Amino acid sequence: MYTRQLTRTVPGAGRALGRRFESTVKVGETAASAIAARPAAQAPRRRRALGGFRGGVVGFLLGVTSAGALGFVYLIDEYQKATALVLSSVDELEKSSLKVKEHVGRIEQVGAQVRALQRDAATAQQLAQARADWRKQNDILTRDHLELKAHVWEIEQDVESALGGRARAKKQN
């Protein structure tokens, strides 16, 4: 572009640079006929310098909004999944805590029964004392029985000696 301007302003400069002057007008046409042959040019549009910037901002806002909406939907979905998981865990925890309460109740019942049995049951020392008392009572009963037997025998002897003559006579008859 610089060379064109240079060749137009300085005659012979185009040759020096190895380039000749070129024109858009064909040979044999005059400048007036070339201008008349051209279609009427529209008024040049004034380009808005901020149009691209506005489009970029709108695209950015549209992208951020759609990405935010998709992220929000994903976040809500994950939140619902996590909430459902927590609720199922809470339900399982409640069921297991009820089972634990039942087992604790059973253990307390068994513990109460064991304490009652311990209160009512005899200890080894009490059992040994009861055996000793039983043997003592058995010995006393055996001795009393033998004494009673001896006493009955003495009475039989006394009765026999008192009736001794009559009982022998009747036996011999």
Side-chain angles (χ1 to χ4, degrees):
M1 180 101 146
Y2 177 73
T3 58
R4 271 192 185 173
Q5 288 175 354
L6 186 61
T7 57
R8 286 183 194 161
T9 57
V10 179
R15 286 186 208 107
L17 293 175
R19 195 169 168 191
R20 45 181 205 150
F21 177 73
E22 293 178 16
S23 163
T24 57
V25 178
K26 293 183 183 178
V27 178
E29 285 186 15
T30 63
S33 64
I35 291 175
R38 281 191 193 164
Q42 296 176 352
R45 276 176 125 189
R46 198 154 193 246
R47 294 186 70 175
R48 292 185 177 172
L50 296 177
F53 179 73
R54 274 191 242 148
V57 169
V58 169
F60 173 75
L61 290 177
L62 183 64
V64 166
T65 304
S66 62
L70 289 175
F72 184 71
V73 167
Y74 178 76
L75 183 67
I76 293 296
D77 186 42
E78 289 297 317
Y79 176 75
Q80 287 176 347
K81 288 178 185 176
T83 303
L85 183 65
V86 168
L87 286 176
S88 67
S89 296
V90 167
D91 289 339
E92 290 175 12
L93 181 64
E94 184 179 7
K95 289 176 185 177
S96 64
S97 66
L98 288 176
K99 286 181 182 179
V100 167
K101 282 183 182 179
E102 290 175 6
H103 289 301
V104 167
R106 289 181 195 155
I107 289 171
E108 287 176 353
Q109 288 176 350
V110 169
Q113 290 174 352
V114 166
R115 284 190 293 278
L117 288 174
Q118 284 177 343
R119 269 194 325 259
D120 296 340
T123 63
Q125 184 180 6
Q126 290 172 338
L127 186 58
Q129 183 65 34
R131 282 184 185 155
D133 290 344
W134 180 79
R135 286 182 183 146
K136 192 176 191 181
Q137 292 297 324
N138 193 19
D139 289 343
I140 291 171
L141 283 175
T142 303
R143 190 186 65 210
D144 287 346
H145 179 66
L146 290 175
E147 285 178 1
L148 186 60
K149 216 175 184 186
H151 184 65
V152 169
W153 185 77
E154 287 176 6
I155 291 176
E156 282 180 354
Q157 292 300 319
D158 287 342
V159 169
E160 192 175 313
S161 64
L163 293 176
R166 285 192 219 158
R168 280 187 204 154
K170 278 188 178 183
K171 273 187 177 180
Q172 291 174 355
N173 286 337

